[in-house]
mmCIF file of all heavy atoms in Angstrom:
data_model
loop_
_atom_site.group_PDB
_atom_site.id
_atom_site.type_symbol
_atom_site.label_atom_id
_atom_site.label_comp_id
_atom_site.label_asym_id
_atom_site.label_seq_id
_atom_site.Cartn_x
_atom_site.Cartn_y
_atom_site.Cartn_z
ATOM 1 N N ASN A 62 8.710 0.480 -9.025
ATOM 2 C CA ASN A 62 8.040 0.292 -7.745
ATOM 3 C C ASN A 62 7.825 -1.201 -7.571
ATOM 4 O O ASN A 62 7.610 -1.924 -8.551
ATOM 5 C CB ASN A 62 6.668 0.978 -7.714
ATOM 6 C CG ASN A 62 6.766 2.472 -7.525
ATOM 7 O OD1 ASN A 62 6.169 3.246 -8.261
ATOM 8 N ND2 ASN A 62 7.534 2.884 -6.531
ATOM 9 N N ILE A 63 7.856 -1.613 -6.317
ATOM 10 C CA ILE A 63 7.699 -3.031 -6.013
ATOM 11 C C ILE A 63 6.553 -3.173 -5.028
ATOM 12 O O ILE A 63 6.532 -2.490 -3.996
ATOM 13 C CB ILE A 63 8.980 -3.609 -5.360
ATOM 14 C CG1 ILE A 63 10.229 -3.245 -6.163
ATOM 15 C CG2 ILE A 63 8.829 -5.111 -5.167
ATOM 16 C CD1 ILE A 63 10.258 -3.744 -7.583
ATOM 17 N N GLY A 97 25.005 1.932 -13.200
ATOM 18 C CA GLY A 97 24.303 0.664 -13.414
ATOM 19 C C GLY A 97 23.929 -0.051 -12.130
ATOM 20 O O GLY A 97 23.176 -1.018 -12.145
ATOM 21 N N PHE A 109 3.570 7.946 4.231
ATOM 22 C CA PHE A 109 2.568 7.951 5.298
ATOM 23 C C PHE A 109 2.665 9.223 6.142
ATOM 24 O O PHE A 109 1.656 9.899 6.387
ATOM 25 C CB PHE A 109 2.760 6.704 6.172
ATOM 26 C CG PHE A 109 1.835 6.643 7.341
ATOM 27 C CD1 PHE A 109 0.465 6.640 7.159
ATOM 28 C CD2 PHE A 109 2.334 6.598 8.634
ATOM 29 C CE1 PHE A 109 -0.407 6.595 8.239
ATOM 30 C CE2 PHE A 109 1.488 6.558 9.718
ATOM 31 C CZ PHE A 109 0.119 6.555 9.526
ATOM 32 N N ASP A 112 1.342 12.102 4.382
ATOM 33 C CA ASP A 112 -0.120 12.168 4.368
ATOM 34 C C ASP A 112 -0.658 12.694 5.702
ATOM 35 O O ASP A 112 -1.619 13.465 5.722
ATOM 36 C CB ASP A 112 -0.714 10.789 4.051
ATOM 37 C CG ASP A 112 -2.132 10.923 3.516
ATOM 38 O OD1 ASP A 112 -2.396 11.902 2.776
ATOM 39 O OD2 ASP A 112 -2.992 10.092 3.869
ATOM 40 N N PRO A 119 -0.626 16.097 13.588
ATOM 41 C CA PRO A 119 0.741 15.970 14.098
ATOM 42 C C PRO A 119 0.890 14.777 15.044
ATOM 43 O O PRO A 119 -0.055 14.401 15.745
ATOM 44 C CB PRO A 119 0.972 17.293 14.823
ATOM 45 C CG PRO A 119 -0.373 17.846 15.092
ATOM 46 C CD PRO A 119 -1.317 17.276 14.092
ATOM 47 N N ASN A 122 4.608 14.340 20.379
ATOM 48 C CA ASN A 122 4.050 14.439 21.733
ATOM 49 C C ASN A 122 2.650 13.845 21.888
ATOM 50 O O ASN A 122 1.980 14.077 22.886
ATOM 51 C CB ASN A 122 4.056 15.900 22.177
ATOM 52 C CG ASN A 122 4.461 16.016 23.621
ATOM 53 O OD1 ASN A 122 5.058 15.085 24.170
ATOM 54 N ND2 ASN A 122 4.107 17.118 24.247
ATOM 55 N N LYS A 143 10.332 8.743 14.512
ATOM 56 C CA LYS A 143 11.144 9.950 14.250
ATOM 57 C C LYS A 143 10.383 11.219 14.610
ATOM 58 O O LYS A 143 10.972 12.250 14.916
ATOM 59 C CB LYS A 143 11.518 10.011 12.773
ATOM 60 C CG LYS A 143 12.930 9.594 12.513
ATOM 61 C CD LYS A 143 13.490 10.223 11.234
ATOM 62 C CE LYS A 143 14.870 9.660 10.997
ATOM 63 N NZ LYS A 143 14.900 8.539 10.094
ATOM 64 N N GLU A 182 -5.521 0.427 27.963
ATOM 65 C CA GLU A 182 -4.732 1.128 28.982
ATOM 66 C C GLU A 182 -4.620 2.631 28.751
ATOM 67 O O GLU A 182 -4.239 3.359 29.653
ATOM 68 C CB GLU A 182 -3.312 0.541 29.045
ATOM 69 C CG GLU A 182 -3.273 -0.857 29.599
ATOM 70 C CD GLU A 182 -1.858 -1.439 29.559
ATOM 71 O OE1 GLU A 182 -0.886 -0.668 29.651
ATOM 72 O OE2 GLU A 182 -1.751 -2.670 29.411
#
Side-chain angles (χ1 to χ4, degrees):
N62 283 130
I63 310 300
F109 177 59
D112 202 36
N122 220 19
K143 257 206 184 96
E182 291 176 30

